[in-house]
Structure formats: C-alpha cells, structure tokens
Coordinates of all heavy atoms in Angstrom, one line a residue:
M1 N 86.9 59.1 82.5 CA 87.7 59.9 83.5 C 89.2 59.7 83.2 O 90.0 59.8 84.1 CB 87.4 59.4 84.9 CG 86.0 59.7 85.3 SD 85.6 61.5 85.6 CE 85.9 61.6 87.4
S2 N 89.5 59.4 82.0 CA 90.9 59.1 81.7 C 91.6 60.4 81.1 O 92.8 60.4 81.0 CB 91.1 58.0 80.7 OG 90.5 58.3 79.5
E3 N 90.8 61.4 80.8 CA 91.4 62.5 80.2 C 92.0 63.4 81.3 O 91.3 63.9 82.2 CB 90.3 63.3 79.5 CG 90.9 64.1 78.3 CD 89.7 64.8 77.5 OE1 88.8 64.1 77.1 OE2 89.8 66.0 77.4
V4 N 93.2 63.6 81.1 CA 93.9 64.5 82.1 C 94.3 65.8 81.4 O 94.9 65.7 80.3 CB 95.2 63.8 82.6 CG1 95.9 64.7 83.6 CG2 94.8 62.5 83.3
K5 N 94.0 66.9 81.9 CA 94.3 68.1 81.3 C 95.8 68.4 81.5 O 96.3 68.5 82.7 CB 93.5 69.3 81.9 CG 93.4 70.5 81.0 CD 92.2 71.3 81.3 CE 92.0 72.4 80.3 NZ 90.9 73.3 80.6
V6 N 96.5 68.6 80.4 CA 97.9 68.9 80.5 C 98.1 70.4 80.2 O 97.8 70.8 79.1 CB 98.7 68.0 79.6 CG1 100.2 68.3 79.7 CG2 98.5 66.5 79.9
Y7 N 98.7 71.1 81.1 CA 99.0 72.5 80.9 C 100.4 72.6 80.2 O 101.3 71.9 80.7 CB 99.0 73.3 82.2 CG 97.6 73.4 82.8 CD1 97.2 72.5 83.8 CD2 96.7 74.3 82.3 CE1 96.0 72.6 84.3 CE2 95.5 74.4 82.9 CZ 95.1 73.5 83.9 OH 93.8 73.6 84.4
P8 N 100.5 73.3 79.2 CA 101.8 73.5 78.6 C 102.8 74.1 79.5 O 102.3 75.0 80.3 CB 101.5 74.3 77.3 CG 100.3 75.1 77.6 CD 99.5 74.2 78.5
P9 N 104.0 73.7 79.5 CA 105.0 74.4 80.4 C 105.1 75.9 80.0 O 105.0 76.2 78.8 CB 106.3 73.6 80.2 CG 106.1 73.0 78.9 CD 104.6 72.7 78.7
P10 N 105.3 76.8 81.0 CA 105.4 78.2 80.6 C 106.7 78.4 79.8 O 107.7 77.8 80.0 CB 105.5 78.9 82.0 CG 105.9 77.8 83.0 CD 105.4 76.5 82.4
K11 N 106.6 79.4 78.9 CA 107.7 79.7 78.1 C 108.8 80.4 79.0 O 108.4 81.4 79.7 CB 107.3 80.7 77.0 CG 108.3 80.8 75.9 CD 107.8 81.8 74.9 CE 109.0 82.2 74.0 NZ 108.8 83.5 73.4
M12 N 110.0 79.9 78.9 CA 111.0 80.5 79.8 C 112.0 81.2 78.9 O 112.3 80.8 77.8 CB 111.7 79.3 80.5 CG 110.8 78.5 81.4 SD 109.9 79.4 82.7 CE 111.2 79.3 84.0
V13 N 112.5 82.3 79.5 CA 113.6 83.0 78.8 C 114.8 83.2 79.8 O 114.6 83.2 81.0 CB 113.1 84.4 78.4 CG1 112.1 84.3 77.3 CG2 112.5 85.2 79.6
E14 N 115.9 83.3 79.2 CA 117.1 83.4 80.1 C 117.3 84.9 80.4 O 117.2 85.8 79.6 CB 118.3 82.9 79.4 CG 119.5 82.8 80.4 CD 120.7 82.0 79.8 OE1 120.5 80.8 79.6 OE2 121.7 82.6 79.6
R15 N 117.5 85.1 81.7 CA 117.6 86.5 82.2 C 118.9 86.5 83.0 O 119.4 85.5 83.5 CB 116.5 86.9 83.1 CG 115.1 86.8 82.4 CD 114.9 87.9 81.5 NE 114.7 89.1 82.2 CZ 114.6 90.3 81.5 NH1 114.7 90.4 80.2 NH2 114.5 91.4 82.2
K16 N 119.4 87.7 83.2 CA 120.6 87.9 84.0 C 120.1 88.7 85.3 O 119.5 89.8 85.1 CB 121.6 88.7 83.3 CG 123.0 88.2 83.6 CD 124.0 88.8 82.7 CE 125.4 88.1 82.8 NZ 126.4 88.8 82.0
C17 N 120.4 88.2 86.4 CA 119.9 88.8 87.7 C 120.5 90.2 87.8 O 121.8 90.4 87.6 CB 120.3 87.9 88.9 SG 119.9 88.7 90.4
K18 N 119.7 91.2 88.1 CA 120.2 92.5 88.2 C 121.0 92.8 89.5 O 121.5 93.8 89.8 CB 119.0 93.5 88.2 CG 118.4 93.7 86.8 CD 117.6 94.9 86.7 CE 117.1 95.1 85.3 NZ 117.9 96.1 84.5
C19 N 120.9 91.8 90.4 CA 121.6 91.9 91.7 C 123.0 91.2 91.6 O 124.0 91.8 91.8 CB 120.8 91.3 92.8 SG 121.6 91.5 94.4
C20 N 123.0 89.9 91.3 CA 124.2 89.1 91.4 C 124.7 88.7 90.0 O 125.7 88.0 89.9 CB 124.0 87.8 92.3 SG 122.8 86.7 91.5
C21 N 124.0 89.1 88.9 CA 124.5 88.9 87.5 C 124.5 87.4 87.2 O 125.1 87.0 86.2 CB 125.8 89.5 87.3 SG 125.8 91.3 87.4
K22 N 123.8 86.6 87.9 CA 123.7 85.2 87.6 C 122.6 85.0 86.6 O 121.6 85.7 86.6 CB 123.3 84.4 88.9 CG 123.8 83.0 88.9 CD 123.6 82.4 90.3 CE 122.1 82.0 90.6 NZ 122.0 81.5 91.9
S23 N 122.9 84.1 85.6 CA 121.9 83.7 84.6 C 120.8 82.8 85.3 O 121.2 81.9 86.0 CB 122.5 83.0 83.4 OG 123.3 83.9 82.8
F24 N 119.6 83.1 84.9 CA 118.5 82.2 85.4 C 117.4 82.2 84.4 O 117.3 83.1 83.5 CB 118.0 82.7 86.8 CG 117.3 84.1 86.8 CD1 116.0 84.1 86.8 CD2 118.1 85.2 86.7 CE1 115.3 85.4 86.8 CE2 117.4 86.5 86.6 CZ 116.0 86.5 86.7
Q25 N 116.5 81.3 84.6 CA 115.3 81.2 83.7 C 114.1 81.9 84.4 O 113.8 81.6 85.5 CB 115.0 79.7 83.5 CG 116.1 78.9 82.8 CD 116.2 79.3 81.4 OE1 115.2 79.2 80.7 NE2 117.4 79.6 80.9
A26 N 113.5 82.8 83.6 CA 112.3 83.5 84.1 C 111.2 83.2 83.1 O 111.5 82.9 82.0 CB 112.6 85.0 84.2
R27 N 110.0 83.2 83.6 CA 108.9 83.0 82.8 C 108.7 84.2 81.9 O 108.7 85.4 82.3 CB 107.6 82.8 83.6 CG 107.5 81.4 84.1 CD 106.2 81.1 84.7 NE 105.9 82.0 85.8 CZ 104.8 82.0 86.5 NH1 103.9 81.1 86.3 NH2 104.6 82.8 87.5
A28 N 108.5 84.0 80.6 CA 108.3 85.0 79.6 C 107.2 86.0 80.0 O 107.3 87.2 79.8 CB 108.1 84.5 78.2
A29 N 106.1 85.4 80.5 CA 105.0 86.2 81.0 C 105.4 87.2 82.1 O 104.9 88.3 82.1 CB 103.9 85.3 81.4
D30 N 106.2 86.7 83.0 CA 106.7 87.6 84.1 C 107.6 88.7 83.5 O 107.4 89.9 83.9 CB 107.5 86.8 85.1 CG 106.5 85.9 86.0 OD1 105.3 86.1 85.9 OD2 107.0 85.1 86.7
V31 N 108.4 88.4 82.6 CA 109.3 89.4 82.0 C 108.5 90.4 81.3 O 108.8 91.6 81.4 CB 110.3 88.7 81.0 CG1 111.2 89.7 80.3 CG2 111.2 87.7 81.8
K32 N 107.4 90.0 80.7 CA 106.6 90.9 80.0 C 105.9 91.9 80.9 O 105.7 93.1 80.6 CB 105.5 90.1 79.3 CG 105.2 90.6 77.8 CD 104.2 89.6 77.2 CE 103.6 90.2 76.0 NZ 102.6 89.4 75.4
R33 N 105.7 91.4 82.1 CA 105.1 92.3 83.2 C 106.1 93.2 83.9 O 105.7 93.9 84.8 CB 104.4 91.4 84.2 CG 103.0 91.0 83.8 CD 102.3 90.3 84.9 NE 102.7 89.0 85.1 CZ 102.1 88.1 85.8 NH1 101.0 88.4 86.5 NH2 102.6 86.8 85.9
G34 N 107.3 93.0 83.5 CA 108.4 93.8 84.1 C 109.0 93.1 85.3 O 109.8 93.6 86.1
W35 N 108.6 91.8 85.5 CA 109.2 91.0 86.5 C 110.4 90.2 86.0 O 110.8 90.5 84.9 CB 108.2 90.0 87.1 CG 107.0 90.7 87.7 CD1 106.7 92.0 87.8 CD2 105.8 90.0 88.2 NE1 105.5 92.2 88.3 CE2 104.9 91.0 88.6 CE3 105.4 88.7 88.3 CZ2 103.6 90.7 89.1 CZ3 104.2 88.4 88.8 CH2 103.3 89.4 89.2
G36 N 110.8 89.3 86.7 CA 111.9 88.4 86.2 C 113.2 89.1 86.1 O 114.1 88.8 85.3
L37 N 113.4 90.1 87.0 CA 114.7 90.8 87.0 C 115.7 90.2 87.9 O 116.9 90.5 87.7 CB 114.4 92.3 87.4 CG 113.4 93.1 86.6 CD1 113.2 94.4 87.2 CD2 113.9 93.2 85.1
F38 N 115.2 89.4 88.8 CA 116.2 88.9 89.8 C 116.0 87.3 89.9 O 114.9 86.8 89.7 CB 115.9 89.5 91.2 CG 115.9 91.0 91.2 CD1 114.8 91.7 91.1 CD2 117.2 91.6 91.2 CE1 114.8 93.1 91.1 CE2 117.2 93.0 91.2 CZ 116.1 93.7 91.1
C39 N 117.1 86.7 90.2 CA 117.1 85.2 90.3 C 116.4 84.7 91.5 O 116.0 83.6 91.5 CB 118.6 84.7 90.2 SG 119.5 85.0 91.8
S40 N 116.3 85.5 92.5 CA 115.6 85.0 93.7 C 115.0 86.2 94.5 O 115.3 87.4 94.2 CB 116.6 84.3 94.6 OG 117.6 85.3 95.0
K41 N 114.2 85.8 95.4 CA 113.5 86.9 96.2 C 114.5 87.7 97.0 O 114.3 88.9 97.2 CB 112.5 86.2 97.1 CG 111.1 86.0 96.4 CD 110.1 85.4 97.4 CE 108.8 85.1 96.7 NZ 107.9 84.4 97.6
S42 N 115.5 87.0 97.5 CA 116.5 87.7 98.3 C 117.3 88.7 97.5 O 117.6 89.8 98.0 CB 117.4 86.7 99.0 OG 118.0 85.8 98.1
C43 N 117.6 88.3 96.2 CA 118.3 89.3 95.4 C 117.4 90.5 95.1 O 117.9 91.6 95.1 CB 118.6 88.7 94.0 SG 120.3 87.8 94.1
K44 N 116.1 90.3 94.9 CA 115.2 91.4 94.7 C 115.2 92.3 95.9 O 115.2 93.5 95.8 CB 113.8 90.8 94.4 CG 112.8 91.9 94.0 CD 111.5 91.2 93.7 CE 110.5 92.3 93.4 NZ 109.1 91.9 93.5
A45 N 115.1 91.7 97.1 CA 115.1 92.5 98.3 C 116.3 93.3 98.5 O 116.3 94.5 98.9 CB 114.9 91.5 99.5
I46 N 117.5 92.7 98.2 CA 118.7 93.4 98.4 C 118.8 94.6 97.5 O 119.1 95.7 97.9 CB 119.9 92.4 98.1 CG1 120.1 91.4 99.2 CG2 121.2 93.2 97.9 CD1 121.0 90.2 98.8
K47 N 118.4 94.4 96.2 CA 118.5 95.5 95.2 C 117.5 96.6 95.6 O 117.8 97.7 95.4 CB 118.2 94.9 93.8 CG 118.7 95.7 92.7 CD 120.3 95.7 92.7 CE 120.8 96.6 91.6 NZ 122.3 96.6 91.6
Q48 N 116.3 96.2 96.0 CA 115.3 97.2 96.3 C 115.7 98.0 97.5 O 115.5 99.2 97.6 CB 114.0 96.5 96.5 CG 113.2 96.3 95.2 CD 111.8 95.7 95.4 OE1 111.5 95.3 96.5 NE2 111.0 95.8 94.4
E49 N 116.4 97.3 98.4 CA 116.8 98.0 99.6 C 117.9 99.0 99.3 O 118.0 100.1 99.7 CB 117.3 97.0 100.7 CG 117.5 97.6 102.0 CD 117.9 96.6 103.0 OE1 117.2 95.5 103.2 OE2 119.0 96.7 103.6
Q50 N 118.8 98.6 98.4 CA 119.9 99.5 97.9 C 119.3 100.7 97.2 O 119.8 101.8 97.4 CB 120.8 98.7 96.9 CG 121.8 97.8 97.6 CD 122.6 97.0 96.6 OE1 122.4 97.2 95.4 NE2 123.6 96.3 97.1
K51 N 118.2 100.5 96.5 CA 117.6 101.6 95.7 C 116.9 102.6 96.6 O 117.1 103.8 96.4 CB 116.7 101.0 94.7 CG 116.5 101.9 93.5 CD 115.7 101.1 92.4 CE 114.3 101.6 92.3 NZ 113.5 100.8 91.3
T52 N 116.2 102.1 97.5 CA 115.3 103.0 98.3 C 115.9 103.3 99.7 O 115.6 104.4 100.2 CB 113.9 102.4 98.5 OG1 114.1 101.2 99.3 CG2 113.3 102.0 97.2
H53 N 116.6 102.5 100.3 CA 117.1 102.6 101.6 C 116.0 102.7 102.6 O 116.2 103.0 103.8 CB 118.1 103.8 101.8 CG 119.3 103.7 101.0 ND1 120.4 103.0 101.5 CD2 119.7 104.1 99.8 CE1 121.4 103.1 100.6 NE2 121.0 103.7 99.6
Q54 N 114.8 102.5 102.1 CA 113.6 102.7 103.0 C 113.6 101.7 104.1 O 113.5 102.0 105.3 CB 112.4 102.5 102.1 CG 111.3 103.5 102.4 CD 110.3 103.5 101.4 OE1 110.0 102.5 100.7 NE2 109.6 104.6 101.2
H55 N 113.7 100.4 103.7 CA 113.6 99.4 104.7 C 114.6 99.5 105.8 O 114.4 99.4 107.0 CB 113.7 98.0 104.0 CG 113.6 96.9 105.0 ND1 112.4 96.6 105.7 CD2 114.5 96.0 105.4 CE1 112.7 95.5 106.5 NE2 113.9 95.1 106.3
R56 N 115.9 99.7 105.4 CA 117.0 99.8 106.3 C 116.8 101.0 107.2 O 117.0 100.9 108.4 CB 118.3 99.8 105.6 CG 119.5 99.5 106.5 CD 120.7 99.2 105.7 NE 121.0 100.3 104.7 CZ 121.8 100.1 103.7 NH1 122.4 98.9 103.5 NH2 122.0 101.1 102.8
D57 N 116.5 102.1 106.6 CA 116.4 103.3 107.4 C 115.2 103.1 108.5 O 115.4 103.5 109.6 CB 116.1 104.5 106.5 CG 117.3 105.0 105.9 OD1 118.4 104.5 106.2 OD2 117.2 105.9 105.0
Y58 N 114.2 102.6 108.0 CA 113.0 102.4 108.9 C 113.4 101.5 110.0 O 113.2 101.7 111.2 CB 111.9 101.8 108.1 CG 110.7 101.4 109.0 CD1 109.9 102.3 109.5 CD2 110.5 100.0 109.4 CE1 108.9 102.0 110.4 CE2 109.5 99.7 110.2 CZ 108.7 100.7 110.7 OH 107.7 100.3 111.6
T59 N 114.1 100.4 109.7 CA 114.5 99.4 110.7 C 115.5 100.0 111.7 O 115.3 99.9 112.9 CB 115.1 98.2 110.1 OG1 114.3 97.7 109.0 CG2 115.3 97.1 111.1
R60 N 116.5 100.7 111.2 CA 117.5 101.3 112.0 C 116.8 102.4 112.9 O 117.1 102.5 114.1 CB 118.6 102.0 111.2 CG 119.8 102.4 112.0 CD 120.9 102.8 111.1 NE 120.5 103.8 110.1 CZ 121.0 103.9 108.9 NH1 122.0 103.1 108.6 NH2 120.6 104.8 108.1
G61 N 116.0 103.2 112.3 CA 115.3 104.3 113.1 C 114.5 103.7 114.2 O 114.5 104.2 115.3
Y62 N 113.8 102.6 113.9 CA 113.0 102.0 114.9 C 113.8 101.5 116.0 O 113.5 101.8 117.2 CB 112.2 100.8 114.3 CG 111.4 100.0 115.3 CD1 110.2 100.5 115.8 CD2 111.9 98.8 115.8 CE1 109.5 99.9 116.7 CE2 111.2 98.1 116.7 CZ 110.0 98.6 117.2 OH 109.3 97.9 118.2
W63 N 114.9 100.8 115.7 CA 115.7 100.3 116.8 C 116.4 101.4 117.6 O 116.6 101.2 118.8 CB 116.7 99.2 116.3 CG 116.0 98.0 115.9 CD1 115.8 97.4 114.7 CD2 115.3 97.1 116.9 NE1 115.0 96.3 114.8 CE2 114.7 96.1 116.1 CE3 115.1 97.1 118.2 CZ2 113.9 95.0 116.7 CZ3 114.3 96.1 118.8 CH2 113.8 95.1 118.1
D64 N 116.8 102.4 116.9 CA 117.4 103.5 117.6 C 116.5 104.1 118.6 O 116.8 104.3 119.8 CB 117.8 104.6 116.6 CG 119.1 104.3 115.9 OD1 119.8 103.3 116.3 OD2 119.5 105.1 115.0
R65 N 115.3 104.3 118.2 CA 114.3 104.9 119.1 C 113.9 103.9 120.3 O 113.8 104.3 121.4 CB 113.0 105.2 118.3 CG 113.0 106.6 117.8 CD 111.7 106.9 117.0 NE 111.6 105.9 115.9 CZ 111.0 106.2 114.8 NH1 110.4 107.3 114.6 NH2 111.0 105.3 113.8
Q66 N 113.8 102.7 119.9 CA 113.5 101.6 120.9 C 114.6 101.6 121.9 O 114.3 101.5 123.1 CB 113.4 100.3 120.1 CG 112.9 99.2 121.1 CD 111.4 99.2 121.3 OE1 110.7 100.0 120.7 NE2 110.9 98.4 122.3
E67 N 115.8 101.6 121.5 CA 117.0 101.6 122.4 C 117.0 102.8 123.3 O 117.2 102.7 124.5 CB 118.3 101.5 121.6 CG 119.4 100.8 122.3 CD 120.7 100.8 121.5 OE1 120.7 101.3 120.4 OE2 121.7 100.3 122.1
A68 N 116.8 103.9 122.7 CA 116.8 105.2 123.4 C 115.7 105.2 124.4 O 115.8 105.6 125.6 CB 116.7 106.4 122.5
F69 N 114.5 104.7 124.0 CA 113.4 104.6 124.9 C 113.7 103.7 126.1 O 113.4 104.0 127.3 CB 112.2 104.1 124.1 CG 111.0 103.8 125.0 CD1 110.4 104.8 125.8 CD2 110.4 102.6 125.1 CE1 109.3 104.6 126.6 CE2 109.4 102.3 125.9 CZ 108.8 103.3 126.7
E70 N 114.3 102.6 125.8 CA 114.6 101.6 126.9 C 115.6 102.2 127.8 O 115.7 101.9 129.0 CB 115.2 100.3 126.3 CG 114.0 99.4 125.8 CD 114.4 98.3 124.9 OE1 115.7 98.0 124.8 OE2 113.6 97.6 124.4
K71 N 116.5 103.1 127.3 CA 117.5 103.7 128.2 C 116.9 104.9 128.9 O 117.6 105.6 129.7 CB 118.7 104.1 127.4 CG 119.6 102.9 127.0 CD 120.7 103.3 126.1 CE 121.5 102.1 125.6 NZ 122.4 102.5 124.5
G72 N 115.7 105.3 128.5 CA 115.0 106.4 129.2 C 115.4 107.7 128.6 O 115.3 108.8 129.3
H73 N 115.9 107.7 127.4 CA 116.4 109.0 126.8 C 115.3 109.8 126.1 O 115.3 111.0 126.0 CB 117.5 108.7 125.7 CG 118.8 108.3 126.4 ND1 119.8 107.7 125.7 CD2 119.2 108.3 127.7 CE1 120.7 107.4 126.5 NE2 120.4 107.7 127.7
V74 N 114.3 109.1 125.6 CA 113.2 109.8 124.9 C 111.9 109.3 125.3 O 111.7 108.2 125.9 CB 113.3 109.6 123.3 CG1 114.5 110.3 122.8 CG2 113.3 108.1 123.0
E75 N 110.9 110.1 125.1 CA 109.5 109.7 125.4 C 109.0 108.8 124.2 O 109.4 109.0 123.1 CB 108.6 110.9 125.4 CG 109.0 111.9 126.5 CD 108.5 111.5 127.9 OE1 107.3 111.2 128.0 OE2 109.3 111.6 128.8
P76 N 108.1 107.9 124.5 CA 107.5 107.2 123.4 C 106.6 108.1 122.6 O 105.6 108.5 123.1 CB 106.7 106.0 124.1 CG 106.5 106.5 125.5 CD 107.6 107.5 125.8
T77 N 106.9 108.4 121.4 CA 106.2 109.4 120.6 C 105.3 108.8 119.5 O 104.7 109.5 118.8 CB 107.1 110.4 120.0 OG1 108.1 109.7 119.2 CG2 107.9 111.2 121.0
F78 N 105.3 107.5 119.4 CA 104.6 106.9 118.2 C 103.1 107.3 118.2 O 102.6 107.8 117.3 CB 104.7 105.4 118.3 CG 106.1 104.9 117.9 CD1 106.9 104.4 118.9 CD2 106.6 105.1 116.6 CE1 108.2 103.9 118.6 CE2 107.8 104.6 116.3 CZ 108.7 104.1 117.3
S79 N 102.4 107.0 119.4 CA 101.0 107.2 119.4 C 100.7 108.7 119.4 O 99.7 109.2 118.8 CB 100.4 106.6 120.6 OG 101.0 107.0 121.8
N80 N 101.5 109.5 120.1 CA 101.3 111.0 120.1 C 101.4 111.6 118.7 O 100.6 112.4 118.4 CB 102.4 111.6 121.0 CG 102.1 111.3 122.5 OD1 101.0 110.8 122.8 ND2 103.1 111.5 123.3
A81 N 102.4 111.1 118.0 CA 102.6 111.7 116.6 C 101.3 111.4 115.8 O 100.9 112.2 115.0 CB 103.8 111.1 116.0
H82 N 100.8 110.2 116.0 CA 99.6 109.8 115.2 C 98.4 110.7 115.5 O 97.7 111.1 114.7 CB 99.3 108.3 115.5 CG 98.2 107.8 114.7 ND1 98.3 107.6 113.3 CD2 97.0 107.4 115.0 CE1 97.2 107.2 112.8 NE2 96.4 107.0 113.9
Q83 N 98.3 110.9 116.8 CA 97.1 111.7 117.3 C 97.3 113.1 116.7 O 96.3 113.7 116.3 CB 97.1 111.8 118.8 CG 96.3 110.7 119.4 CD 96.4 110.7 120.9 OE1 97.1 111.6 121.5 NE2 95.8 109.8 121.6
F84 N 98.5 113.6 116.7 CA 98.7 115.0 116.3 C 98.3 115.1 114.8 O 97.7 116.1 114.4 CB 100.2 115.3 116.5 CG 100.5 116.7 116.1 CD1 100.0 117.8 116.8 CD2 101.3 117.0 115.0 CE1 100.3 119.1 116.4 CE2 101.6 118.3 114.6 CZ 101.1 119.4 115.3
S85 N 98.7 114.2 114.0 CA 98.4 114.3 112.6 C 96.9 114.2 112.3 O 96.4 114.8 111.4 CB 99.2 113.2 111.8 OG 98.6 111.9 112.1
N86 N 96.2 113.4 113.2 CA 94.8 113.4 113.1 C 94.2 114.7 113.4 O 93.3 115.2 112.7 CB 94.2 112.3 114.0 CG 94.3 110.9 113.4 OD1 94.5 110.8 112.2 ND2 94.1 109.9 114.2
E87 N 94.7 115.4 114.4 CA 94.1 116.7 114.8 C 94.3 117.7 113.6 O 93.5 118.4 113.3 CB 94.9 117.2 116.0 CG 94.3 116.7 117.3 CD 95.1 117.1 118.5 OE1 95.8 118.2 118.5 OE2 95.1 116.3 119.5
E88 N 95.5 117.6 113.1 CA 95.9 118.5 112.0 C 94.9 118.3 110.8 O 94.4 119.3 110.2 CB 97.3 118.2 111.5 CG 98.1 119.5 111.3 CD 99.5 119.1 111.0 OE1 99.8 118.0 110.5 OE2 100.4 119.9 111.4
H89 N 94.6 117.1 110.6 CA 93.7 116.8 109.5 C 92.3 117.4 109.8 O 91.6 117.9 108.9 CB 93.6 115.3 109.3 CG 92.7 114.9 108.2 ND1 93.0 115.1 106.9 CD2 91.4 114.3 108.2 CE1 92.0 114.6 106.1 NE2 91.1 114.1 106.9
D90 N 91.8 117.3 111.0 CA 90.5 117.8 111.3 C 90.5 119.3 111.2 O 89.5 119.9 110.7 CB 90.2 117.5 112.8 CG 89.8 116.0 112.9 OD1 89.5 115.4 111.8 OD2 89.7 115.5 114.0
C91 N 91.6 120.0 111.6 CA 91.7 121.4 111.4 C 91.5 121.8 110.0 O 90.8 122.8 109.6 CB 93.0 121.9 112.0 SG 93.0 121.9 113.8
N92 N 92.2 121.1 109.1 CA 92.2 121.4 107.7 C 90.7 121.3 107.1 O 90.4 122.0 106.2 CB 93.1 120.5 106.9 CG 94.5 120.9 107.2 OD1 94.8 122.1 107.6 ND2 95.4 120.0 107.0
K93 N 90.0 120.4 107.7 CA 88.6 120.2 107.2 C 87.8 121.4 107.5 O 86.9 121.7 106.8 CB 88.1 118.9 107.8 CG 87.8 117.9 106.7 CD 87.2 116.6 107.1 CE 86.8 116.2 108.5 NZ 86.4 114.8 108.6
D94 N 88.0 122.0 108.7 CA 87.2 123.2 109.1 C 87.7 124.4 108.3 O 87.1 125.0 107.5 CB 87.5 123.5 110.6 CG 86.7 122.5 111.4 OD1 85.7 121.9 111.0 OD2 87.2 122.3 112.6
Ligands
ZN1 ZN1 120.6 87.1 92.0

C-alpha cells in the first residue's frame, strides 16, 4: 500500500485575459476547448454581460416591473403571459 498514484500536473499556458488584459495561467486542455479566455469567473461574467446585455436587461426589467407592481402601476403579468403562450401552442397543434 505504499504506491501512491501521482497525477502529472496539467500543462499550463500563459493567456491574456480578454476582460482585464492580465496575464494568467490557463490549462492547455481548457484553452483547447475554447476556455481559458478569462483570468477569473468575474471577468468572464463581466465580458459576457457586455456582449449580450442579457443578464443586465433581464435584471433591470425585472426590477422595473417589480417596482411598478409594488407602486400599483401594473398588473402582475408573469403567470398570465405564460398561460397565454400555452394556449397559443395548443391552437397551433389543432
Ligand atoms: Zn481578467
């Protein structure tokens, strides 16, 4: 029981973060997969948000509606909209 399996350290390559331009070490296997573009998860999140604006728009839209709802300006339409799209889907099937 003295044999200990030693895994070789992953091959690392130097990369430049696409967000903050900082040099960092990424695993070569990850780079091969198209990963290793960012030095950290937060940099990845920032860059992806800049690219798509999806997360920010969604968050802002949600809070706008939530705020408006709390002030009594709009009806809560989340569940209604969902039901409506389901109805539409059934109609198409017929
Ligand atoms: Zn970075």
Side-chain angles (χ1 to χ4, degrees):
M1 296 289 266
S2 63
E3 209 176 304
V4 179
K5 199 159 189 182
V6 178
Y7 293 98
K11 196 184 162 201
M12 303 299 276
V13 290
E14 189 165 298
R15 304 283 293 172
K16 217 170 192 184
C17 177
K18 285 199 178 260
C19 180
C20 67
C21 294
K22 206 168 80 179
S23 291
F24 68 102
Q25 298 285 311
R27 282 190 300 181
D30 284 351
V31 174
K32 225 173 163 183
R33 276 187 284 192
W35 301 356
L37 300 175
F38 304 99
C39 71
S40 65
K41 274 182 184 172
S42 51
C43 272
K44 190 181 173 192
I46 289 167
K47 203 70 184 177
Q48 276 184 345
E49 194 177 303
Q50 280 176 358
K51 207 167 105 184
T52 62
H53 292 278
Q54 221 168 27
H55 177 67
R56 193 166 52 198
D57 282 353
Y58 172 77
T59 312
R60 190 172 52 210
Y62 173 78
W63 285 113
D64 280 354
R65 269 178 301 209
Q66 186 77 8
E67 204 183 2
F69 172 61
E70 276 166 11
K71 285 175 183 167
H73 291 164
V74 290
E75 301 279 314
T77 54
F78 289 109
S79 54
N80 288 345
H82 185 66
Q83 268 173 4
F84 181 68
S85 70
N86 276 346
E87 274 172 33
E88 228 173 27
H89 182 71
D90 285 347
C91 286
N92 287 338
K93 245 186 353 192
D94 287 335

